[in-house]
Amino acid sequence: LKDGDPVELLEGRLFRKMTKNQRHVKAFRHLRRLLELFLSNPYHLNSQDPLSLSTSEPEPDLTIFRETPEFPIERHPKPEDIALVIEVSDSTLVFDRNDKLRLYAADRLVHYWIVNLIDNQVEWYSDPTGGVPETASYRQRVVYPLGSTLVFPLDGQELRVMVDEKLIPIE
């Protein structure tokens, strides 16, 4: 391995990150722009940067995290800092629904979205069980198909995301 190789550390193993097709890139850019316009202090947006979980250092597509004065700049966000983690998913859909979901639920990341480019929908997972990654899951799953609006509350504000062709580009 060389510095900068596209890998992420999950449960002590290195996984090569998949190359992104044009639909993935468009969906990611649209959502990143939308989130950047919405967020203000103390919330920040990370794009494809590591998280420090108990057994892993995944690099989700997008992460909204809360930065407080006690948040040291030299560390990655930890579960208690994270408001939302998002994966834009096409070729990695099974991996994101299973392996990544279990990791995020085990560390009690409260909200997890999968922008599912295969089924043209957003999947919102919440109410994590916590515990060991092998059995961790989320109790709630809500699916937002094309044409719907997803509303995410964040400290008294509402982030509204239209599930449309900008978010899920049609081929």
Side-chain angles (χ1 to χ4, degrees):
L1 286 177
K2 298 182 300 260
D3 190 33
D5 278 354
V7 296
E8 59 187 334
L9 179 64
L10 304 175
E11 299 180 294
R13 298 179 308 184
L14 290 175
F15 287 84
R16 182 167 297 282
K17 294 170 73 175
M18 301 297 290
T19 53
K20 296 163 181 63
N21 64 35
Q22 194 57 32
R23 280 186 81 209
H24 186 287
V25 171
K26 284 181 181 179
F28 169 80
R29 281 187 193 147
H30 173 73
L31 192 52
R32 185 182 67 204
R33 268 194 300 265
L34 181 70
L35 294 174
E36 286 170 343
L37 291 172
F38 174 77
L39 293 176
S40 60
N41 277 334
Y43 290 96
H44 299 276
L45 181 67
N46 272 357
S47 300
Q48 302 170 338
D49 293 325
L51 306 177
S52 290
L53 303 183
S54 59
T55 64
S56 304
E57 285 206 354
E59 296 180 7
D61 286 308
L62 296 160
T63 305
I64 296 175
F65 68 99
R66 183 182 186 103
E67 189 174 90
T68 63
E70 300 80 35
F71 189 98
I73 194 70
E74 65 273 357
R75 76 161 168 84
H76 303 307
K78 293 183 176 183
E80 60 269 18
D81 307 316
I82 298 166
L84 173 64
V85 63
I86 303 169
E87 297 286 358
V88 177
S89 191
D90 45 17
S91 61
T92 60
L93 182 59
V94 171
F95 188 72
D96 293 338
R97 276 185 176 160
N98 295 302
D99 299 300
K100 289 265 185 105
L101 183 140
R102 287 183 306 95
L103 290 174
Y104 297 150
D107 275 273
R108 297 186 191 278
L109 299 186
V110 179
H111 300 284
Y112 173 41
W113 292 359
I114 297 175
V115 179
N116 177 341
L117 300 179
I118 302 297
D119 299 314
N120 298 321
Q121 63 191 23
V122 175
E123 300 169 17
W124 181 348
Y125 297 88
S126 60
D127 195 11
T129 60
V132 295
E134 293 79 22
T135 59
S137 189
Y138 285 90
R139 293 180 190 95
Q140 298 292 320
R141 176 181 182 257
V142 179
V143 173
Y144 294 86
L146 279 173
S148 61
T149 302
L150 188 155
V151 180
F152 181 72
L154 189 63
D155 284 353
Q157 296 180 325
E158 289 185 342
L159 168 63
R160 293 183 163 296
V161 177
M162 291 292 303
V163 182
D164 59 12
E165 290 80 18
K166 291 179 186 172
L167 178 62
I168 300 178
I170 304 302
E171 293 184 285

